[in-house]
Amino acid sequence: MNLNAFRENAKIEIEKVKTDGELEKVRVKYLGRKGNLTEVLHSIGDLPKEERPEAGRIANSIKRELEELIKEKKEILEEKKTLLWKDLTLPGRKPFIGTLHPLTVLGEEVQDIFIRMGFSVVEGPEIETDYYNFTALNTPPDHPARDLQDTFYLKDGRLLRTQTSPVQIRILEKHSPPLRIISSGKCYRMDTFDPSHSPTFTQIEGLWVDKNISMADLFGTLELFAKEIFGENIKTEFLPGYFPFTEPSCEQLIQCPFCLGEGCSVCKKKGMIEILGAGLVHPSILKKLGYSEFNGFAFGMGVERIAMIKYNIDDIRLFYQNELQFLRQFNES
Ligand code: DAH
């Protein structure tokens, strides 16, 4: 028998098959126990001895080829069946599109408010030196205020910044006033996680240095900021505070947006909530940088804190757990 013609015939028949039943018939016909190929293999014994190995090799390769073709055909038939059962009228699945994290969105919103007031955005490093993070900010090594900010130190003596305030020094070293800058970024303190603390958090720092800047400029700017973030009717109050790098220093409070000053669990019955620290840049800092004739104000806020007040979130850890259910609330579209 011509083995090539045999192979071609088999291929054509497999190709034509349209149903499982037909495919099974073709399989039995060629590869079955009493099939054509089995016959061929048996008849090899009748060939002259020297032709047997070659004929055997060809017959076996045809066998493998046909088995492979039948397997492929089976898969094609299966696929057709599932296609027939697909319900093309089912509504499609909406792909979930990633969105910015709520802290990023709010951080940008805060920065935009200050950009509209003429501030420029600048950046500073997260790994800082002791000098920029403390000493240049009027906090020498023996200063008690260092105890308030438990610091992560690196082996080489540098540290993870505990605040964004070092940006003030870095910018004033490179650019002379008048200037208005805003800077946002991660800060680190050796706190353990609890509902209101996290070892990593986000701060936004502001600095305005010019001539004749007064507390009135500071109050006006920050009051406008609070109204933009919490609404036109929010009431603001400033109380005296303490920071080594500002004199005088203050804290900005807003009327609790949940009870409108009545006193509730969010504001711990106080009616007011602290949102940031601020003050007039300490004259000794400006003097050391060579800007004695200038003065200015600075402020710093925690983005998590602003977000918790704005959205009534009672646990800071929710921002870092990446629970989609939590995150999706901020991006309903
Ligand atoms: N760096 C301060 C902190 O982490 C916040 C702060 C207070 C920044 C007063 C300022 C400022 O620029 O003037 O607690």
Side-chain angles (χ1 to χ4, degrees), residues 149 162-165 168 189 201 203 205-206 243 245-246 250 276-280 297-301:
Q149 304 188 0
T162 58
Q163 49 187 351
T164 41
S165 305
Q168 294 185 30
R189 287 183 201 176
F201 53 98
Q203 274 198 348
E205 188 82 15
F243 301 100
F245 38 88
T246 44
C250 63
L276 55 79
L280 293 187
F297 70 76
F299 57 89
M301 70 185 89

Side-chain angles (χ1 to χ4, degrees), residues 30 77 127 143 208 217 233 263 271 291 313 332:
Y30 288 95
L77 293 177
I127 296 180
H143 199 286
W208 183 333
D217 299 304
N233 297 324
Y291 303 129
I313 295 162
E332 266 150 28

